[in-house]
Amino acid sequence: MATKPTEPVTILSLQKLSLGTAEPQVKEPKTFTVEDAVETIGFGRFHIALFLIMGSTGVFWLAGSLLIIGLASVIIPTIGWRWLIRVASIPGIILIVAFKFIPESARFNVSTGNTQAALATLECIAKMNRSVMPEGKLGEPVLEKRGRFADLLDAKYLQTTLQIWVIWLGISFAYYGVILASAELLERDLVCGSKSDSEVVVTGGDSGESQSPCYCHMFAPSDYRTMIISTIGEIALNPLNILGINFLGRRLSLSITMGCTALFFLLLNICTSSAGLIGFLFMLRALVAANFNTIYIYTAEVYPTTMRALGMGTSGSLCRIGAMVAPFISQVLMSASILGALCLFSSVCVVCAISAFTLPIETKGRALQQIK
């Protein structure tokens, strides 16, 4: 019986044999990012609580301004300004307690390499929302480079940074200046041809103190109405502001609103009717709010991701300096010279308008920069 000839074993036959048998593949463990976890967990009770807590801190700022004016009209004439401060501090105390229930940002923890803390935050959110976490292990690359203060002063961003700081300081100076100046102007009753129905209350009972700058002038109901109407102006230009920054660009839009702010500061010195004074204050509040909106958007867009938070933080610090200086001008200097104080506010706004117009980068239609 004939037997089948056997094929000799060669290197070629061994290669064919190795190709024919697939090597077992090692499965890589599943991983997910923070974005994947957020999408999987979905919207729930945690997001509602976060919205209520964080939203109440700036419930669009306008509501708080209107509320404090309304409370002042009721509390100050009856039980005094000290009780107004006590009542006004209650929401802040509640928020301080509420902040204890807000976990640290998972993205921040991941960016700093603290993956375990980020995972704990995501698991807490999933538990509150009665949802589940995605399968696998949380893994996201740690940022190799984070923003430094020196990056803001790099040659590429030096001019932009310095001009942004000037604008933030000037806008804050003008914003808080017009708020404080409103009270001073109403107290001095610049309405032509009429006397204020406010009463002058002398502290301490000595009539000689009425000649001192340290006296208390009680607002009339009409003064509180003027404050409320002018405060509503902060949302009046929002639609035009949105159109302006999208069609004219951030720089031109900001320079126009800053220039108009300077003009209306000077118009406050005009002897006018009650309706005219209300109109000027209304427009000023609308313009200074528009200035804030525009510079906030521009600052967030002009810096890359690695520097964005640092740029916003340093700008906010300059903003606080402007807020601290404003009372010395709108109350101290204005008590000596109304024209001098208003001209100073107007001059600062002109400087900011020029700085906005000459900013080296226009962010309209520009994609957000991820790296420097």
Side-chain angles (χ1 to χ4, degrees):
M1 185 175 179
T3 60
K4 186 178 180 181
T6 58
E7 183 179 354
V9 178
T10 63
I11 296 177
L12 184 61
S13 63
L14 290 175
Q15 288 179 347
K16 290 180 179 180
L17 181 63
S18 64
L19 291 174
T21 58
E23 295 182 359
Q25 296 180 353
V26 180
K27 286 187 176 181
E28 296 183 0
K30 289 184 178 180
T31 61
F32 63 90
T33 64
V34 174
E35 286 80 5
D36 297 332
V38 171
E39 290 294 330
T40 304
I41 293 172
F43 185 84
R45 293 189 298 175
F46 171 80
H47 299 88
I48 296 174
L50 183 66
F51 174 79
L52 293 176
I53 295 174
M54 300 305 297
S56 62
T57 61
V59 62
F60 307 140
W61 185 272
L62 177 64
S65 301
L66 295 174
L67 179 61
I68 198 66
I69 295 173
L71 288 174
S73 65
V74 175
I75 295 177
I76 291 180
T78 53
I79 55 179
W81 62 268
R82 291 181 177 84
W83 275 103
L84 175 65
I85 295 178
R86 292 165 186 160
V87 172
S89 65
I90 293 175
I93 296 173
I94 295 175
L95 284 175
I96 291 174
V97 177
F99 284 153
K100 298 282 291 183
F101 299 95
I102 299 178
E104 183 56 82
S105 167
R107 173 161 291 285
F108 171 78
N109 284 328
V110 167
S111 67
T112 57
N114 194 354
T115 308
Q116 291 300 322
L119 186 61
T121 297
L122 293 171
E123 289 174 346
C124 176
I125 297 173
K127 184 178 180 180
M128 285 189 64
N129 288 2
R130 297 177 180 176
S131 183
V132 294
M133 291 282 290
E135 295 182 0
K137 181 181 179 182
L138 177 62
E140 199 156 335
V142 180
L143 290 177
E144 296 182 359
K145 182 179 180 182
R146 303 177 64 190
R148 302 173 303 168
F149 181 78
D151 294 335
L152 296 175
L153 303 179
D154 185 76
K156 182 178 179 181
Y157 292 103
L158 178 60
Q159 181 182 350
T160 301
T161 297
L162 294 178
Q163 290 184 223
I164 284 179
W165 287 351
V166 169
I167 294 171
W168 271 95
L169 191 150
I171 288 177
S172 175
F173 178 69
Y175 179 83
Y176 291 100
V178 69
I179 293 175
L180 297 172
S182 299
E184 289 293 317
L185 294 173
L186 290 173
E187 180 180 343
R188 295 174 183 280
D189 190 20
L190 296 183
V191 177
C192 294
S194 65
K195 288 187 176 181
S196 172
D197 53 353
S198 306
E199 296 180 359
V200 175
V201 178
V202 180
T203 58
D206 187 0
S207 60
E209 292 185 4
S210 61
Q211 305 300 323
S212 168
C214 302
Y215 67 88
C216 180
H217 186 175
M218 299 289 288
F219 275 4
S222 60
D223 296 328
Y224 287 110
R225 286 195 296 271
T226 300
M227 294 287 288
I228 290 175
I229 294 172
S230 63
T231 301
I232 295 175
E234 291 199 12
I235 60 172
L237 288 185
N238 279 357
L240 290 177
N241 189 212
I242 294 171
L243 291 175
I245 61 178
N246 283 289
F247 288 97
L248 300 178
R250 280 59 164 160
R251 295 182 302 181
L252 181 57
S253 178
L254 181 57
S255 61
I256 291 174
T257 54
M258 287 302 306
C260 292
T261 305
L263 174 62
F264 274 94
F265 264 118
L266 295 179
L267 291 177
L268 283 179
N269 193 54
I270 297 176
C271 186
T272 183
S273 63
S274 176
L277 180 60
I278 293 174
F280 290 155
L281 292 175
F282 182 90
M283 284 303 301
L284 265 175
R285 293 294 288 267
L287 288 166
V288 293
N291 295 334
F292 254 130
N293 294 337
T294 308
I295 193 58
Y296 191 95
I297 293 172
Y298 180 86
T299 306
E301 292 176 339
V302 75
Y303 291 116
T305 301
T306 55
M307 298 167 52
R308 190 168 297 123
L310 186 62
M312 294 295 296
T314 53
S315 299
S317 300
L318 270 295
C319 175
R320 303 307 170 204
I321 295 176
M324 289 188 290
V325 175
F328 293 97
I329 307 302
S330 58
Q331 294 183 320
V332 178
L333 178 59
M334 189 167 282
S335 63
S337 172
I338 294 178
L339 179 60
L342 295 178
C343 286
L344 181 56
F345 281 120
S346 181
S347 301
V348 171
C349 291
V350 170
V351 172
C352 291
I354 296 172
S355 297
F357 188 76
T358 57
L359 281 168
I361 301 174
E362 173 57 71
T363 61
K364 175 191 171 185
R366 177 175 177 258
L368 291 178
Q369 307 297 303
Q370 298 301 317
I371 57 177
K372 180 180 172 183

